[in-house]
Amino acid sequence: MTAEAPAGVLYGLIADATRWPLFFPPCVHVEQLDFDGTRERLRMWATAGDTVKSWVSSRRLDVQRLRVEFTMDVPAAPARSMNGVWTVEPLAGDRSRVTLEHFFTVEGDAPADVAWIEDVTAANSSSQLDRLAEIARRWTRLDDLVWSFEDTIHVNAPAELIFDFLYQADDWPAELPHVTRLDLVEDEPGVQLMSMGSMSIDGGTHNTESVRICFPGAQRIVYKQTRTSPLLTAHSGEWSIEPDATGVNLTARHHVLLDEDSIERVLGEGTDAVAAGHHLRDALGQAGLSVLRYATQYALGAVRVL
């Protein structure tokens, strides 16, 4: 793949895997387990066809050679092993060539499993490279297109009941005024596929689809929208609950990548990325705080019933 950006920019996007959910469509969530400046271990979740797969990878970052080598420490079935390398090659005129290679083996060498991994790897690699090229084309404006923000409220309510409200999202249409429809499937414990219809603060309606990864022990839920609301190319986030001596801190975090081509169509001629970002910050912030306040009411109401 050839990209319209300097090699250092492309390498930086590839090296910073914690931001991959914003940049790469298949990637749902990444947690950095260890990092010494050159070598790191990552726990990753990604869509693979109609499923969500998770694995642990080790990576070696070589900034001098513009290479990132990776190996799956614990591959996702049916793979027995998986490794590969990203390579960035500088070209003339601030252009770059990016190559992504994979090498894998399959348990039992079953033809159907080999074909499935080949198809999924090819589809995800193509999706990653296409999005990387698109982001690279806008690299001088990326700081205005990527936004991260959070809102926190402190409440005196049981953390377990608040998590229960956030986890059981299929009950939200009966509890949250802005949610008109919600379908939730959890075939694997802690991995939820969610389709939701909701109303925005301006009275409009939109539909989103998300993958949610739930951590009951840590009282966290992370998510990635696989179908976003208007103005967004990507949206990931987190609900977290952190107890302290006087109650709990509830936080709604958002990470968004603006769809630059839709800004004026949605918000009006002359609206720039910074104004669109502030608009989304207000809209998503209000929606997130609303969910947290209703979760608190639910928890306090359940305590009174008990």
Side-chain angles (χ1 to χ4, degrees):
M1 178 270 290
T2 301
E4 302 294 329
V9 171
L10 273 301
Y11 175 81
L13 292 171
I14 294 166
D16 188 2
T18 58
R19 295 215 295 177
W20 281 13
L22 275 188
F23 296 149
F24 295 149
C27 190
V28 173
H29 181 60
V30 178
E31 300 220 345
Q32 189 180 69
L33 305 178
D34 300 295
F35 184 49
D36 65 5
T38 300
R39 299 182 182 274
E40 68 178 343
R41 292 177 66 246
L42 304 169
R43 178 74 185 273
M44 311 183 78
W45 288 260
T47 56
D50 295 328
T51 65
V52 177
K53 296 290 187 178
S54 178
W55 63 91
V56 175
S57 281
S58 292
R59 301 203 312 168
R60 181 176 179 272
L61 281 61
D62 188 340
V63 66
Q64 298 300 322
R65 299 172 63 197
L66 299 176
R67 286 168 57 91
V68 177
E69 301 169 0
F70 59 89
T71 300
M72 285 189 182
D73 299 344
V74 184
R80 182 173 59 207
S81 68
M82 174 76 76
N83 59 79
V85 58
W86 293 86
T87 306
V88 184
E89 177 187 355
L91 301 177
D94 272 349
R95 297 167 65 247
S96 306
R97 179 178 293 112
V98 179
T99 303
L100 172 58
E101 300 174 90
H102 287 87
F103 312 94
F104 67 88
T105 60
V106 175
E107 194 69 41
D109 292 325
D113 290 340
V114 172
W116 185 83
I117 291 182
E118 287 179 341
D119 290 345
V120 167
T121 301
N124 281 6
S125 297
S126 177
S127 175
Q128 287 177 299
L129 291 171
D130 288 347
R131 179 59 62 82
L132 196 60
E134 177 64 20
I135 292 171
R137 186 170 65 87
R138 306 175 191 271
W139 73 274
T140 60
R141 304 184 298 283
L142 203 54
D143 286 345
D144 291 337
L145 297 175
V146 174
W147 292 67
S148 294
F149 49 88
E150 65 181 51
D151 294 288
T152 299
I153 60 174
H154 184 272
V155 300
N156 186 8
E160 295 79 6
L161 293 177
I162 293 172
F163 181 84
D164 183 62
F165 180 93
L166 297 173
Y167 179 79
Q168 297 188 37
D170 46 354
D171 293 334
W172 284 3
E175 304 286 347
L176 298 175
H178 71 280
V179 176
T180 59
R181 174 193 59 81
L182 197 144
D183 301 310
L184 187 143
V185 176
E186 187 174 354
D187 291 332
E188 178 184 347
V191 179
Q192 299 179 337
L193 305 181
M194 188 171 82
S195 175
M196 184 174 74
S198 59
M199 294 183 295
S200 57
I201 57 174
D202 60 6
T205 60
H206 57 262
N207 297 305
T208 58
E209 295 177 1
S210 305
V211 178
R212 306 204 316 167
I213 312 298
C214 306
F215 304 95
Q219 295 186 322
R220 297 172 59 220
I221 297 175
V222 298
Y223 63 87
K224 160 77 175 284
Q225 287 188 352
T226 53
R227 178 185 178 186
T228 61
S229 57
L231 285 179
L232 296 179
T233 294
H235 179 191
S236 63
E238 176 181 352
W239 305 102
S240 70
I241 304 169
E242 298 180 358
D244 64 16
T246 60
V248 291
N249 292 306
L250 311 180
T251 301
R253 295 185 176 90
H254 301 274
H255 310 286
V256 300
L257 174 62
L258 292 171
D259 179 1
E260 188 176 28
D261 294 334
S262 73
I263 291 175
E264 292 195 13
R265 174 173 52 81
V266 175
L267 295 180
E269 187 175 352
T271 306
D272 62 15
V274 173
H278 285 299
H279 170 85
L280 276 170
R281 198 270 176 264
D282 291 342
L284 293 176
Q286 289 186 41
L289 286 172
S290 175
V291 172
L292 295 179
R293 291 183 181 115
Y294 275 96
T296 302
Q297 293 178 18
Y298 166 87
L300 292 174
V303 169
R304 285 193 292 269
V305 170
L306 293 174

